[in-house]
């Protein structure tokens, strides 16, 4: 998981203002080198066997690229896709290592939830707490709880030796 941390630091770390899309291109080329058996340093060598078995590494790099050019998502579908690239890929790579095969039946449906709720970007950024906002947020909280519940069910399926890090330290 060191490579994941190193990649994330490119777009979220203290040097983020110096990272260009070209730097991420070079980092992605380095990942391709690892896929092709060419390592630059000891960390690359350690990663070589892992990346050959867990292809979502490429998607994770794409998620980091999204961090460079996009900071807002117009609907849940866009946010969901972003979450897959930057977090879901880490989960997909971690799950087999932790003892179970990744299986997902998640789907997305296209919609602009703010508009459907009668809210605008201006409402959100102005911090207007209205009845429409409350209804909207209740739906978001319900969805988040559903995802947390699904995640907890997944954590229970992990082998007991790896379960603790997957649920933030809580005992199940």
């Amino acid at each position: 998981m060191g490579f994941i941390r190193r990649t994330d630091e490119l777009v979220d770390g203290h040097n983020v203002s110096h990272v260009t899309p070209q730097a991420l291109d070079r980092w992605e080329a380095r990942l391709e080198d690892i896929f092709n058996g060419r390592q630059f340093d000891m960390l690359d060598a350690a990663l070589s066997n892992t990346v050959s078995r867990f292809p979502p590494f490429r998607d994770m790099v794409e998620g980091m690229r999204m961090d460079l050019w996009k900071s807002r998502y117009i609907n849940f579908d866009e946010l969901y896709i972003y979450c897959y690239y930057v977090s879901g890929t880490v989960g997909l790579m971690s799950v087999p290592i932790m003892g179970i095969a990744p299986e997902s039946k998640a789907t997305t449906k296209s919609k602009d939830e703010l508009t459907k709720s009668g809210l605008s970007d201006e409402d959100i950024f102005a911090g207007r707490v209205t009845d429409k906002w409350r209804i909207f947020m209740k739906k978001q909280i319900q969805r988040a709880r559903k995802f947390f519940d699904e995640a907890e069910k997944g954590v229970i399926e992990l082998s007991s030796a790896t379960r603790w890090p997957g649920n933030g330290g809580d005992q199940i």
Side-chain angles (χ1 to χ4, degrees):
M1 294 300 150
F3 191 88
I4 294 169
R5 173 61 25 223
R6 290 164 70 191
T7 304
D8 189 55
E9 286 298 314
L10 285 174
V11 295
D12 289 339
H14 56 75
N15 290 325
V16 70
S17 62
H18 304 292
V19 176
T20 65
Q22 293 78 18
L24 198 54
D25 289 342
R26 287 190 302 274
W27 192 249
E28 188 173 28
R30 184 172 174 173
L31 178 61
E32 288 302 321
D33 284 344
I34 294 168
F35 268 97
N36 294 317
R38 294 184 301 271
Q39 299 89 30
F40 178 73
D41 61 18
M42 292 303 292
L43 292 172
D44 291 356
L47 182 63
S48 183
N49 182 46
T50 304
V51 297
S52 66
R53 296 183 353 217
F54 305 108
F57 271 88
R58 286 183 174 109
D59 284 351
M60 181 203 60
V61 172
E62 184 60 29
M64 302 308 152
R65 186 180 312 288
M66 292 170 76
D67 273 341
L68 293 177
W69 61 270
K70 190 164 187 157
S71 62
R72 300 236 15 259
Y73 299 90
I74 62 170
N75 56 38
F76 183 72
D77 289 347
E78 281 192 6
L79 178 62
Y80 191 88
I81 290 167
Y82 170 75
C83 289
Y84 160 74
Y85 279 107
V86 298
S87 296
T89 54
V90 175
L92 288 172
M93 291 182 280
S94 300
V95 167
I97 295 167
M98 297 171 98
I100 61 173
E103 296 178 14
S104 176
K105 296 180 180 164
T107 61
T108 60
K109 297 176 184 170
S110 180
K111 61 188 166 295
D112 182 343
E113 297 179 15
L114 284 176
T115 302
K116 285 185 176 185
S117 298
L119 297 169
S120 68
D121 288 350
E122 293 77 26
D123 293 328
I124 301 302
F125 289 121
R128 295 185 189 116
V129 178
T130 63
D131 287 339
K132 289 179 184 178
W133 181 86
R134 286 183 184 94
I135 292 167
F136 175 78
M137 289 310 297
K138 283 180 185 179
K139 289 178 184 176
Q140 302 310 309
I141 291 167
Q142 288 172 345
R143 181 184 359 222
R145 286 183 178 150
K146 179 183 168 200
F147 282 124
F148 284 126
D149 290 344
E150 289 176 19
E152 187 172 315
K153 289 175 190 172
V155 169
I156 291 170
E157 298 301 321
L158 294 172
S159 70
S160 60
T162 60
R163 192 176 299 157
W164 184 81
N167 72 354
D170 297 333
Q171 294 295 323
I172 296 182

